[in-house]
Amino acid sequence: MATGTEDKAKGAGNKAAGKAKEAAGKATDNHKTEAKGKAQQAKGEVQKGKGDAKDSQKKKR
């Protein structure tokens, strides 16, 4: 099981890759790629939140 820090790192990676994918989609007028980029950014946000929650639980113990 991934630690909070690992989840946050994966989330940051997905957000960065998603931004690049979205920008590429906009530049090439490819709406499908743009949408995939936005979805990947959302996935990154969820992963970051998961990492934050894990860290928060760890502090409470």
Side-chain angles (χ1 to χ4, degrees):
M1 187 159 137
T3 65
T5 303
E6 290 170 339
D7 284 329
K8 287 190 228 179
K10 288 178 185 178
N14 270 317
K15 284 174 59 175
K19 280 188 184 279
K21 204 176 279 187
E22 180 183 6
K26 283 182 180 180
T28 59
D29 200 33
N30 184 329
H31 300 291
K32 192 173 187 177
T33 300
E34 188 177 343
K36 284 183 180 180
K38 288 180 181 182
Q40 190 167 4
Q41 288 178 65
K43 178 181 177 183
E45 283 293 327
V46 170
Q47 282 178 315
K48 181 187 176 303
K50 185 177 172 185
D52 289 341
K54 283 182 181 178
D55 285 346
S56 177
Q57 286 298 317
K58 198 184 294 183
K59 289 178 185 176
K60 289 181 180 179
R61 292 182 187 169

